[in-house]
């Protein structure tokens, strides 16, 4: 049993683990606070504050105040383990002095987080505030390795390495032989500042495959042991016809634990620099995320030729989302750009994505403010929306095909409410809906050249929906439903057809639908699979609806009010909607029958396949539907949808709309996804006789990457407009990847003509280094 002095020495020796560990053990020598009950033992079986030591020999020299432990030393304390051949503790010779702890010979420290440190010798003061290690190396989190001729701990926050090397790459081959790391940073001096959460380098050399590629007198990056810290992020370099050579270097600034800023200047050889930035801040009730960009430059075309006057050019893409109590949340999005093509010119990514509850079309920005209240039985929201269009026509001499923001309505307010009572009504579920909207439009979108006044509309809607379900013992399922709705409209600036002359009017209507959904699934079990067959039918009846007619065309056909039902597709999703129009302005009336058959095969090993074929029938034609919809005739077009997963890692899907008489394809979307050990990829094909803009569309989208050997691979991406018989984008790349680095070299060619931006070619290089450039991932 060691003496009290020896215990003190060994306790101090165990604290050598604090030299490079995240937390100091200086509190270990202080008396523990009294506890009401014994604490549970740790993973090493020791109570908090307890120390376990093994050694072949312990010698105490009371006169010299030296304690020595030798031979197979192992000390465990606070879930850390110290191993060494020899441990010496020299107590302070006089009052107020400092003692010295020395650990020599194959010193190993294993920390509770799995990291470990190695040294030939550790020297530490007995207060564990400063120390030195000779022949030091360490394996930290994220597989980071550090080695140095010597290591010094100045205090709890600053630690220093001399003649050091840093790498997150493997340094041993599979057979255990030494291996040159893929990349590393060697430096004369490395300082880890935990307070600033940075690692500084003096005379640093970046080595790739052992070859020095870059020398930096001073260099720093975020501490990999820190969750977030200021520092440079992975750069991006490219060359294109539009901007020449470009280099973008992001810098991450951790302003506080709750906010940060990324400043990313883009330097170009042919045009002025462009500054990108992103500011984020988290509050107690929510967060704000603001992206922005700015430059002062002339306009330029696809070849980089400048024209016009220099001016301020900028964009903002912002959002905020907050909670106000348990049931309320509110937020905003702010999306605006000074130029329609600013994102194309400077290659700004992730622009047209969802930042709030309301989403605009592609190449359009939406700014919104909203408030939402929701609980288990009710939902209410109010919002205001404004839209900016960035679409440009292909003819640079004319702007008639460009988006005109004056034709987009300002939506304020937009109100939606839903309520479902707790109690059942006639044994079924009852829902009450309310909706109101006001649209203000400066210019009519139907006559862009003449700039006629735009329609202003206001609508209020109340709706009641009731449904119930019955299931027989044989499995027949019947779901009757009733829907009642009332609308009130106030319209102004209605064009009369005589120049810019307009009129106003108010109207109201009552709408109703009743019907039932019937299904009867049957299944049969085979040796290794289950087959499910399910016939589906829906009957719906509605009185003639009072559609809102604005005017008559030259051929006498009515022009209906249609602000919210322009974009919809007749497919397997909308087949069984009693009212197939997604909005409120148009309403499906008459008697109709929607039928389908669905078959599924489910294999025990996870494979699956399903097929649905359906159609809609009505008693008479309905000219409210557009000709392209496939729903105007008494018998609709055929709907076919199928998906399958024939093998693990491969999935297929297709959906189509076939002509009701000839079975010609009016719309077809098909695709496949592959994710295997040798690579991954996807393919999408779409053909549509008439899209939302009444134009035929045929498009092929495909891409993927294939691994060649262990580290090399090729990648490709293509988007082809088959109607124009031209490739929109073509990417071809090669990449190298291993456990700690990925390098992509990508050649891109764009054949599109957008405004003054014509076809272009570019080459970009992307380097991702583990712990410096973020996690490694595929494109």
């Amino acid at each position: 049993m060691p003496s009290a002095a020896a215990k003190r020495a060994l306790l101090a020796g165990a604290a050598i683990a604090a030299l490079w560990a995240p937390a100091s053990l200086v509190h270990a020598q202080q008396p523990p606070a009294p506890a009401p009950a014994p604490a549970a033992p740790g993973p090493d079986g020791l109570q908090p504050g307890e120390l376990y030591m093994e050694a072949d020999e312990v010698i105490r020299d009371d006169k010299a105040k030296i304690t020595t432990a030798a031979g197979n030393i192992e000390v465990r304390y606070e879930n850390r383990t110290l191993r060494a051949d020899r441990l010496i503790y020299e107590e302070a010779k006089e009052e107020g002095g400092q003692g010295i702890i020395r650990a020599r010979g194959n010193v190993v420290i294993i920390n509770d987080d799995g990291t470990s440190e190695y040294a030939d010798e550790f020297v530490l003061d007995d207060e564990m505030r400063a120390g030195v290690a000779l022949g030091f190396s360490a394996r930290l989190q994220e597989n980071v390795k550090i080695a140095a001729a010597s290591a010094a701990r100045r205090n709890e926050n600053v630690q220093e390495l001399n003649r050091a090397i840093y790498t997150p790459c493997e340094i041993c081959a599979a057979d255990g032989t030494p291996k040159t790391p893929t990349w590393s940073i060697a430096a004369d001096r490395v300082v880890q500042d935990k307070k600033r959460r940075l690692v500084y380098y003096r005379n640093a050399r970046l080595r790739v495959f052992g070859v020095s590629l870059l020398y930096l007198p001073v260099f720093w990056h975020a501490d990999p042991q820190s969750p977030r810290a200021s520092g440079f992020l992975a750069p991006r370099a490219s060359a294109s016809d539009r901007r020449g050579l470009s280099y973008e270097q992001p810098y991450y600034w951790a302003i506080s634990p709750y906010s940060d800023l990324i400043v990313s200047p883009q330097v170009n050889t042919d045009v002025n620099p462009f500054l990108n930035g992103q500011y984020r801040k988290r509050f107690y009730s929510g967060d704000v995320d603001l992206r922005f960009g700015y430059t002062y430059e002339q306009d330029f075309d696809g070849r980089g030729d400048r024209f016009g006057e220099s001016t301020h050019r900028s964009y903002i893409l912002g959002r905020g989302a907050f909670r106000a109590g348990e049931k309320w949340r509110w937020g905003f999005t702010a999306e605006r750009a000074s130029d329609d093509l600013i994102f194309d010119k400077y290659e700004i990514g992730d622009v047209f994505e969802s930042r709030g509850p309301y989403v605009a079309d592609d190449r359009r920005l939406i700014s919104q403010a909203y408030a939402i209240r929701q609980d288990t039985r009710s939902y209410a929201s109010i919002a205001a929306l404004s839209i900016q269009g960035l679409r440009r026509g292909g003819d640079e001499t004319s702007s008639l095909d460009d988006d005109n923001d004056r034709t987009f309505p300002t939506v304020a307010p937009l109100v939606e409410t839903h309520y479902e009572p707790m109690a059942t009504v006639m044994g079924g579920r009852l829902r009450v809906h309310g909706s109101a909207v006001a649209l203000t439009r400066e210019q009519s979108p139907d006559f862009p050249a003449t700039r006629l006044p735009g329609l202003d509309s206001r609508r209020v809607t109340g709706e009641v929906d009731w449904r119930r379900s019955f299931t027989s013992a044989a499995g027949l399922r019947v779901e009757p439903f009733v829907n009642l709705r009332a609308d009130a409209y106030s319209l102004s600036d209605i064009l009369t057809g005589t120049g810019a002359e307009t009129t106003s009017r108010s109207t109201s209507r009552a709408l109703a639908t009743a019907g039932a959904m019937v299904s009867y699934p049957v299944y049969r079990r085979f040796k290794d699979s289950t087959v499910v067959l399910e016939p589906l039918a829906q009957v719906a009846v509605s009185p003639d609806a009072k559609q809102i007619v604005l005017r008559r065309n030259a051929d006498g056909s009515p022009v209906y009010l249609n602000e919210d039902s322009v974009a919809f597709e007749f497919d397997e999703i909308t087949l069984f909607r009693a009212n197939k129009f997604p909005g409120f302005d148009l309403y499906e009336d008459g008697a109709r029958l929607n039928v389908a058959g669905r078959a599924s095969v489910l294999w025990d090993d996870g494979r699956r396949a399903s097929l649905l074929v359906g159609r809609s029938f009505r008693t008479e034609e309905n000219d409210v539907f557009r000709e392209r919809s496939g729903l105007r005739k008494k018998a609709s077009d055929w709907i076919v949808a199928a998906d399958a997963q024939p093998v693990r890692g491969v999935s297929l899907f297709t959906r189509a709309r076939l002509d009701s008489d000839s079975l010609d394809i009016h719309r077809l979307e098909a695709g496949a996804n592959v994710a295997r050990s040798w690579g991954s990829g996807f393919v999408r094909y779409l053909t549509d006789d008439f899209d939302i803009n009444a134009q035929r569309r045929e498009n092929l989208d495909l891409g993927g990457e294939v691994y060649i050997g262990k580290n090399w691979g090729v990648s490709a991406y293509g988007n082809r407009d088959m109607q124009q018989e031209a490739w929109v984008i073509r990417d071809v790349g090669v990449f190298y990847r291993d456990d700690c680095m990925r390098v992509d070299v990508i050649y891109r060619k764009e054949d599109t003509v957008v405004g003054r931006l014509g076809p272009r070619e570019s080459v970009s290089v992307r380097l991702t280094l583990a712990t410096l450039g973020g996690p490694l991932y595929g494109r």
Side-chain angles (χ1 to χ4, degrees):
M1 187 74 177
S3 65
K7 286 183 178 179
R8 181 184 174 199
L10 293 172
L11 177 60
I16 294 175
L19 179 60
W20 287 97
S24 173
L25 299 182
V26 66
H27 64 279
Q29 295 184 15
Q30 302 173 357
D44 55 7
L46 300 176
Q47 297 285 346
E50 286 187 342
L51 177 145
Y52 174 84
M53 184 275 295
E54 290 182 2
D56 293 342
E57 183 180 34
V58 176
I59 300 174
R60 170 67 181 173
D61 187 338
D62 291 327
K63 184 177 181 180
K65 296 185 177 181
I66 296 176
T67 302
T68 303
N72 298 314
I73 300 171
E74 179 173 315
V75 180
R76 297 206 304 267
Y77 181 79
E78 296 289 348
N79 298 324
R80 290 188 175 91
T81 301
L82 165 70
R83 297 189 180 102
D85 293 339
R86 188 175 181 85
L87 183 68
I88 301 173
Y89 174 50
E90 300 178 14
E91 296 182 46
K93 301 297 184 181
E94 56 186 28
E95 189 70 24
Q98 282 190 329
I100 298 176
I101 305 166
R102 302 178 188 272
R104 296 175 177 171
N106 300 312
V107 183
V108 180
I109 300 172
I110 303 174
N111 300 308
D112 57 351
D113 60 359
T115 61
S116 54
E117 292 86 38
Y118 310 85
D120 295 333
E121 180 177 356
F122 272 115
V123 180
L124 191 68
D125 68 67
D126 60 359
E127 293 185 354
M128 295 159 279
R129 296 184 180 275
V132 175
L134 303 178
F136 177 81
S137 62
R139 182 182 292 270
L140 307 179
Q141 293 177 343
E142 298 189 33
N143 203 28
V144 169
K145 276 81 66 178
I146 295 177
S150 63
R153 176 173 177 170
R154 304 301 182 188
N155 52 52
E156 290 87 347
N157 294 318
V158 178
Q159 301 171 99
E160 179 182 315
L161 301 175
N162 296 295
R163 293 168 57 195
I165 184 171
Y166 166 102
T167 182
C169 307
E170 293 297 334
I171 56 176
C172 294
D175 60 1
T177 58
K179 171 189 173 184
T180 300
T182 304
W183 72 269
S184 62
I185 299 175
D188 294 343
R189 184 183 178 203
V190 181
V191 177
Q192 181 189 36
D193 191 330
K194 293 184 178 182
K195 185 175 182 180
R196 293 183 174 88
R197 294 178 290 188
L198 291 175
V199 178
Y200 298 90
Y201 296 80
R202 182 64 59 87
N203 294 326
R205 297 168 298 281
L206 175 63
R207 295 174 178 171
V208 178
F209 299 108
V211 179
S212 296
L213 298 183
L214 182 65
Y215 169 77
L216 297 169
V218 178
F219 173 71
W220 68 91
H221 64 76
D223 187 345
Q225 292 183 326
S226 173
R228 54 192 297 273
S230 302
F232 290 104
L233 303 179
R236 180 184 179 187
S238 64
S240 70
D241 301 336
R242 296 173 184 170
R243 303 189 315 277
L245 297 176
S246 296
Y247 179 82
E248 187 167 348
Q249 177 59 71
Y251 179 81
Y252 177 81
W253 179 21
I255 302 174
S256 73
Y258 317 105
S259 62
D260 54 33
L261 174 67
I262 298 177
V263 179
S264 184
Q266 181 190 98
V267 181
N268 309 290
T269 58
D270 293 351
V271 298
N272 287 346
F274 191 92
L275 178 65
N276 291 291
Q278 182 176 13
Y279 174 77
R280 300 183 301 178
K281 184 175 179 64
R282 182 170 292 278
F283 301 89
Y284 176 78
S285 60
D287 70 294
V288 170
D289 188 330
L290 299 175
R291 291 177 57 192
F292 55 87
Y294 172 80
T295 188
Y296 186 80
E297 176 61 288
Q298 296 174 270
D299 205 350
F300 58 88
D301 59 21
R303 296 176 295 276
D305 296 330
R306 293 182 173 96
F307 60 91
E309 296 183 358
S310 295
T311 186
H312 301 280
R313 305 180 188 276
S314 61
Y315 72 87
I316 183 171
L317 302 170
R319 68 158 190 85
F322 304 90
R323 289 199 170 274
E326 182 179 350
K327 299 177 181 179
W328 281 93
R329 58 189 176 96
W330 67 277
F332 69 89
T333 67
E335 301 181 354
R336 280 298 183 267
S338 61
D339 299 46
D340 290 347
L341 302 177
I342 191 170
F343 301 114
D344 304 88
K345 292 174 182 176
Y346 296 98
E347 296 188 55
I348 311 300
D350 300 326
V351 174
F352 306 104
E353 60 182 24
S354 172
R355 295 182 177 86
Y358 303 96
V359 183
D361 293 337
D362 187 34
R363 294 195 65 82
R364 285 170 179 166
L365 304 178
I366 181 169
S367 298
Q368 58 190 289
Y370 61 89
I372 298 173
R373 182 193 184 279
Q374 186 173 10
D375 58 26
T376 56
R377 313 301 299 183
S378 64
Y379 171 90
S381 69
I382 183 170
L385 317 174
S386 176
I387 300 172
Q388 179 186 12
L390 304 182
R391 294 180 183 176
R392 299 293 297 270
D395 186 0
E396 63 182 60
T397 64
S398 174
S399 62
L400 291 180
D401 294 333
D402 298 349
D403 272 343
N404 183 350
D405 294 344
R406 294 184 179 90
T407 66
F408 295 135
T410 298
V411 184
L414 172 61
V415 180
E416 295 180 272
T417 61
H418 309 283
Y419 174 67
E420 182 175 335
M422 182 78 69
T424 61
V425 177
M426 294 186 293
R429 182 266 298 156
L430 180 71
R431 288 180 179 171
V432 181
H433 308 279
S435 173
V437 66
L439 305 177
T440 305
R441 186 181 275 108
E442 182 178 346
Q443 187 174 316
S444 172
D446 300 328
F447 308 97
T450 54
R451 300 182 180 180
L452 296 178
L455 174 70
D456 298 337
S457 65
R458 292 152 294 278
R459 173 187 54 79
V460 177
T461 295
E463 185 177 9
V464 176
D465 183 78
W466 176 87
R467 292 175 181 269
R468 187 176 180 180
S469 178
F470 300 92
T471 303
S472 71
L476 179 66
R477 186 180 181 89
V478 180
E479 299 180 18
F481 60 86
V482 176
N483 180 275
L484 303 175
R485 200 178 98 188
D487 300 330
Y489 282 88
S490 175
L491 308 175
S492 58
D493 285 345
I494 306 172
L495 293 171
T496 62
T498 305
E501 196 174 305
T502 62
T503 186
S504 302
R505 64 189 174 97
S506 299
T507 186
S508 60
R509 63 183 179 181
L511 306 166
T513 300
M517 181 77 184
V518 181
S519 63
Y520 187 52
V522 295
Y523 77 95
R524 181 172 179 178
R525 175 68 185 173
F526 291 90
K527 180 179 179 181
D528 60 349
S529 63
T530 302
V531 176
V532 181
L533 301 177
E534 185 178 12
L536 303 162
Q538 182 190 65
V539 178
V541 180
S542 302
D544 291 343
K546 181 182 178 182
Q547 311 292 350
I548 310 299
V549 179
L550 298 177
R551 61 181 180 276
R552 296 278 176 174
N553 281 333
D555 59 1
S557 58
V559 177
Y560 298 107
L561 174 67
N562 185 11
E563 297 281 13
D564 54 17
S565 297
V566 176
F568 85 95
E569 292 294 340
F570 179 40
D571 54 22
E572 75 278 10
I573 298 174
T574 58
L575 174 61
F576 289 103
R577 286 182 182 170
N579 176 27
K580 293 182 176 57
F581 291 109
F584 291 88
D585 293 338
L586 300 179
Y587 195 82
E588 185 178 7
D589 55 11
R592 56 266 189 201
L593 172 65
N594 305 313
V595 296
R598 181 163 52 201
S600 302
V601 183
L602 307 174
W603 283 272
D604 297 343
D605 58 5
R607 293 177 296 151
R608 59 177 177 80
S610 67
L611 171 68
L612 180 142
V613 179
R615 202 176 186 189
S616 182
F617 300 90
R618 62 182 64 254
T619 56
E620 56 185 26
E621 292 187 4
N622 190 337
D623 64 355
V624 178
F625 290 103
R626 293 187 178 185
E627 188 67 39
R628 61 169 291 272
S629 68
L631 284 164
R632 175 173 285 196
K633 298 179 181 180
K634 292 183 178 181
S636 75
D637 287 348
W638 290 90
I639 296 299
V640 179
D643 66 88
Q645 186 175 321
V647 296
R648 186 178 298 275
V650 178
S651 61
L652 312 168
F653 75 91
T654 184
R655 55 175 61 94
R657 179 165 57 85
L658 310 179
D659 188 85
S660 58
D661 299 322
S662 64
L663 297 182
D664 292 339
I665 296 175
H666 288 307
R667 191 177 192 277
L668 171 65
E669 184 179 359
N673 297 287
V674 178
R676 306 288 288 178
S677 59
W678 46 264
S680 62
F682 70 92
V683 60
R684 303 283 188 274
Y685 172 78
L686 172 66
T687 178
D688 195 342
D689 285 351
F690 299 98
D691 64 8
I692 188 176
N693 298 313
Q695 297 179 351
R696 176 174 173 78
R697 181 169 53 154
E698 189 174 7
N699 181 269
L700 179 67
D701 196 46
L702 71 164
E705 55 186 33
V706 177
Y707 312 132
I708 302 175
K710 181 180 179 181
N711 302 113
W712 291 91
V714 295
S715 62
Y717 172 75
N719 186 300
R720 181 173 176 80
D721 187 335
M722 303 182 72
Q723 188 66 22
Q724 300 293 329
E725 297 184 354
W727 286 96
V728 180
I729 295 176
R730 282 172 285 178
D731 283 355
V732 178
V734 296
F735 63 86
Y736 172 89
R737 62 166 194 164
D738 59 18
D739 57 297
C740 63
M741 180 178 76
R742 175 163 176 151
V743 182
D744 290 86
V745 180
I746 302 170
Y747 166 78
R748 166 169 287 191
K749 184 173 183 181
E750 298 181 15
D751 296 333
T752 53
V753 177
V754 183
R756 291 182 178 270
L757 295 183
R760 73 156 186 147
E761 296 179 89
S762 65
V763 176
S764 61
V765 180
R766 182 169 56 204
L767 172 65
T768 305
L769 302 177
T771 74
L772 297 186
L776 297 177
Y777 54 88
R779 293 186 309 115

